[in-house]
Amino acid sequence: MMHRPYDHITEEPDRPELAAPRPRARHRVARFSRWLWTELTSMRTALVLLLLLAIAAIPGSLVPQRSADPNGVVQYTDNNPQLAEILDALQVFDSYSSFWFSSIYLLLFISLIGCLVPRIRHHWAALRARPPRAPARFTRMPAHHNQELPSMTAETAAHAAERLLKRQLYRVSTEVTPTSIAVSAERGYIRETGNLVFHLSMVGVLIAVGLGGGFSYTGQRVLVEGEGFANTLSAYDSFNPGRFFTDTQLAPFALTLDDLAVDYETENTNAIGQPIDFTASVSTRWQGTEEAIPQQVKVNEPINVAGSDIFLLGNGYAPEITVTSPAGDVVLQEKIPFLPQDAFLTSLGIIKVPDGLAEQIGMIGFFYPTQTVGDSGAYFSENPDMLNPVLTLNTFTGDLGLEDGIPRSVYALDTSELTQLTGGDSGVDSIELRPGESAQLPNGLGTVALGEVPRFASFDISFDPGQTWVLIFSIVIVAGLLASLLIPRRRIWVRVSQSGDGVVAEYAGLARGDDPGLERVVEELATQHLDTLQRAGGGAMSDTPTHTI
């Protein structure tokens, strides 16, 4: 019986290896992976990612960030609710920890590492290699020079060239041929070393910023003159921790605001009332100190306490409000910070009295440090200093919503469900008070009084363990950049050959990149070489090696 050529082949559709990718497909995937890695680790890609990182940082400077200005984010949301919703979905209010910023950040990190590893390996091999051999024709080099030397041996001239180049910090090697002795020298590898140090330090900055940001925290606290706070999580008005933050990182220290001094312009008529200087006198105490230490905080002049930087952000007035029931019981006595609304510190404050009176009362207060009446009859302040202080209060009654379990801002009062008793459309004038005065609340609810008006200061307390390393790496970046820009990489060759009773020396130089001083260097080398031989008297030198030509 005859067999056909393919009778021995049978179909095996259930064999698992038949489902594996064909070799050609695997090769395509491998080629694409190698191409992708090559592109990602190229210097061009690293520069593009660095540019993208700079562009991605722009929204962080245009829009308030939750980590630095949470109150600004709230105000921005109130002013632009629809736009704020879109920006929040895109994580623009958290630009530096957003998915798009982090993606660029990580890609840049990978690109730099992938670019640097082969360069470091190549540079290390180049440092250990001998200088390149002398070219056959020196005249083809961009800088060259010839001269005849005094009567001497070629060995003496070659050895003098070796010693001269070594004193100039060249790496030197000598090659002997039947007709000549060639000295090869090279220096300037520190240029490439500086370039690598520059890029490695950039990686160091990325690591320091990433890890430092993860373990860092920033918090804000408003203090009225005479008040203090301890560095605990519950003591902050707002707090923004890093991803890896734990409560144990809070250094044990306390801060008290003793006084806030503000200097205003009083002589220049075009700038009267403009602030000149802010100085917060504080007392600090931390673990291990027996007495409080007086210090001063100014704008852009923070202090460091137990590793935390304390900045002065803002200031304003905190009128002391006292509310008394009809029976004479004090139900509220508090220094309440009023938020400045303009450059002359016209300030807005919220007063809430949930207990102690027949009804809950909320008051919206406007404080005018130097009260003046405009043409329309509206009040405004014409100077930020307290020259004519006046407080006006619009009062409301009703449920303040403090017991419904919903967080409420102490700087806002929802009046939609409240009844207005004074000011606005109520038909009753707002309550007006000067320091030391009191007034009756509507409907016989009690009295309200204005006491002293101290100042408050807003402090930002930040801790970033990576900032010292960022500074160190930044200094190294500058040093590496200067080395890569200022130190030239040169190759110098000297060839000496016997010519009758004398010696002919040829000199040549080659630079990597633009080096306008190369020709001068070659000529100076020839001159120094000749001077060295003449001072030696043209005789054999004591440590001259023996070369055979």
Side-chain angles (χ1 to χ4, degrees):
M1 182 178 178
M2 297 181 63
H3 295 278
R4 287 176 296 179
Y6 303 103
D7 283 349
H8 63 286
I9 300 178
T10 59
E11 293 183 359
E12 295 181 2
D14 296 331
R15 289 174 57 187
E17 56 268 25
L18 294 179
R22 286 183 284 180
R24 186 174 298 176
R26 288 199 299 269
H27 291 163
R28 282 198 296 267
V29 172
R31 284 198 302 271
F32 176 77
S33 299
R34 285 194 297 269
W35 172 84
L36 183 62
W37 176 252
T38 301
E39 290 297 316
L40 179 60
T41 56
S42 67
M43 186 55 65
R44 180 182 64 256
T45 302
L47 291 175
V48 171
L49 288 173
L50 191 61
L51 177 62
L52 288 176
L53 192 68
I55 295 174
I58 293 177
S61 60
L62 299 179
V63 178
Q65 301 295 294
R66 285 194 176 93
S67 59
D69 188 12
N71 292 329
V73 174
V74 174
Q75 186 66 41
Y76 190 93
T77 303
D78 292 340
N79 297 336
N80 309 277
Q82 295 181 344
L83 178 60
E85 185 177 355
I86 298 174
L87 295 179
D88 196 24
L90 296 175
Q91 300 181 355
V92 177
F93 294 123
D94 302 284
S95 294
Y96 305 114
S97 59
S98 63
F99 69 92
W100 40 271
F101 190 89
S102 300
S103 299
I104 300 173
Y105 190 91
L106 291 175
L107 284 175
L108 177 60
F109 182 82
I110 296 171
S111 178
L112 286 175
I113 292 293
C115 178
L116 287 173
V117 169
R119 287 183 60 189
I120 292 174
R121 187 166 54 244
H122 175 76
H123 184 58
W124 176 249
L127 287 174
R128 302 173 64 187
R130 292 166 58 89
R133 298 175 61 180
R137 297 180 183 179
F138 280 16
T139 55
R140 301 179 65 179
M141 294 295 104
H144 56 85
H145 186 78
N146 297 342
Q147 69 180 358
E148 292 185 1
L149 302 178
S151 298
M152 66 183 64
T153 63
E155 291 88 342
T156 300
H159 183 59
E162 286 181 21
R163 295 188 60 184
L164 182 60
L165 290 168
K166 286 181 179 178
R167 283 199 300 268
Q168 296 178 5
L169 303 181
Y170 283 89
R171 294 190 303 133
V172 178
S173 67
T174 303
E175 180 186 4
V176 180
T177 67
T179 59
S180 64
I181 301 175
V183 180
S184 300
E186 188 174 23
R187 78 172 183 184
Y189 272 102
I190 195 171
R191 180 188 183 98
E192 177 65 9
T193 302
N195 192 285
L196 291 174
V197 168
F198 168 79
H199 289 91
L200 284 172
S201 298
M202 287 187 62
V203 174
V205 168
L206 293 177
I207 295 175
V209 170
L211 292 180
F215 289 100
S216 66
Y217 66 83
T218 60
Q220 292 74 38
R221 175 61 192 258
V222 172
L223 292 178
V224 181
E225 289 176 325
E227 289 185 351
F229 94 108
N231 189 33
T232 59
L233 200 57
S234 59
Y236 286 94
D237 295 326
S238 60
F239 192 81
N240 299 279
R243 295 180 179 178
F244 314 125
F245 169 81
T246 60
D247 293 357
T248 56
Q249 291 180 232
L250 292 172
F253 70 85
L255 174 74
T256 301
L257 176 61
D258 299 322
D259 178 68
L260 179 66
V262 183
D263 293 331
Y264 294 106
E265 178 62 57
T266 57
E267 298 180 359
N268 187 351
T269 56
N270 294 326
I272 289 180
Q274 295 295 322
I276 299 175
D277 185 46
F278 299 93
T279 302
S281 299
V282 300
S283 299
T284 58
R285 184 195 299 269
W286 61 90
Q287 191 173 22
T289 59
E290 297 181 358
E291 298 182 357
I293 299 176
Q295 294 180 277
Q296 288 187 339
V297 188
K298 295 188 176 185
V299 177
N300 297 326
E301 295 182 18
I303 61 174
N304 187 278
V305 180
S308 298
D309 292 321
I310 300 177
F311 297 84
L312 177 62
L313 293 184
N315 72 98
Y317 292 100
E320 182 182 33
I321 307 297
T322 301
V323 178
T324 307
S325 68
D329 298 327
V330 176
V331 297
L332 174 73
Q333 187 173 30
E334 188 175 346
K335 297 173 183 177
I336 301 175
F338 277 45
L339 300 181
Q341 304 297 302
D342 57 32
F344 294 129
L345 296 188
T346 299
S347 304
L348 170 66
I350 302 299
I351 304 160
K352 299 177 182 180
V353 186
D355 301 306
L357 301 179
E359 296 182 79
Q360 292 187 350
I361 288 183
M363 290 179 274
I364 299 177
F366 288 91
F367 180 73
Y368 307 93
T370 304
Q371 182 254 359
T372 304
V373 181
D375 295 337
S376 64
Y379 289 178
F380 66 94
S381 177
E382 64 176 4
N383 195 299
D385 206 358
M386 283 213 325
L387 304 180
N388 182 32
V390 171
L391 172 66
T392 64
L393 297 173
N394 296 339
T395 59
F396 300 81
T397 59
D399 185 5
L400 300 179
L402 301 180
E403 299 177 358
D404 54 10
I406 301 175
R408 306 275 182 178
S409 172
V410 296
Y411 300 108
L413 179 66
D414 184 3
T415 61
S416 59
E417 302 295 331
L418 301 180
T419 301
Q420 187 166 3
L421 302 181
T422 64
D425 298 330
S426 66
V428 180
D429 291 340
S430 301
I431 298 174
E432 290 190 17
L433 297 172
R434 297 178 183 274
E437 295 181 349
S438 63
Q440 292 291 324
L441 292 170
N443 300 338
L445 293 174
T447 60
V448 57
L450 174 62
E452 60 179 353
V453 184
R455 285 185 174 272
F456 74 84
S458 175
F459 293 98
D460 181 271
I461 297 92
S462 66
F463 173 76
D464 186 355
Q467 62 182 357
T468 301
W469 288 105
V470 170
L471 175 62
I472 293 173
F473 283 125
S474 298
I475 294 173
V476 176
I477 281 177
V478 174
L481 183 61
L482 291 176
S484 65
L485 293 177
L486 301 180
I487 296 178
R489 182 174 172 181
R490 295 181 179 134
R491 290 173 178 174
I492 300 293
W493 295 279
V494 180
R495 179 186 288 134
V496 294
S497 56
Q498 208 76 37
S499 176
D501 295 334
V503 174
V504 175
E506 299 176 87
Y507 310 87
L510 178 66
R512 185 170 184 176
D514 187 27
D515 188 356
L518 180 63
E519 187 172 351
R520 175 182 52 82
V521 168
V522 172
E523 291 179 355
E524 288 179 354
L525 174 64
T527 302
Q528 293 170 1
H529 189 205
L530 180 59
D531 291 343
T532 300
L533 292 171
Q534 289 176 342
R535 285 197 303 269
M541 305 178 75
S542 60
D543 55 348
T544 301
T546 301
H547 300 295
T548 301
I549 298 179

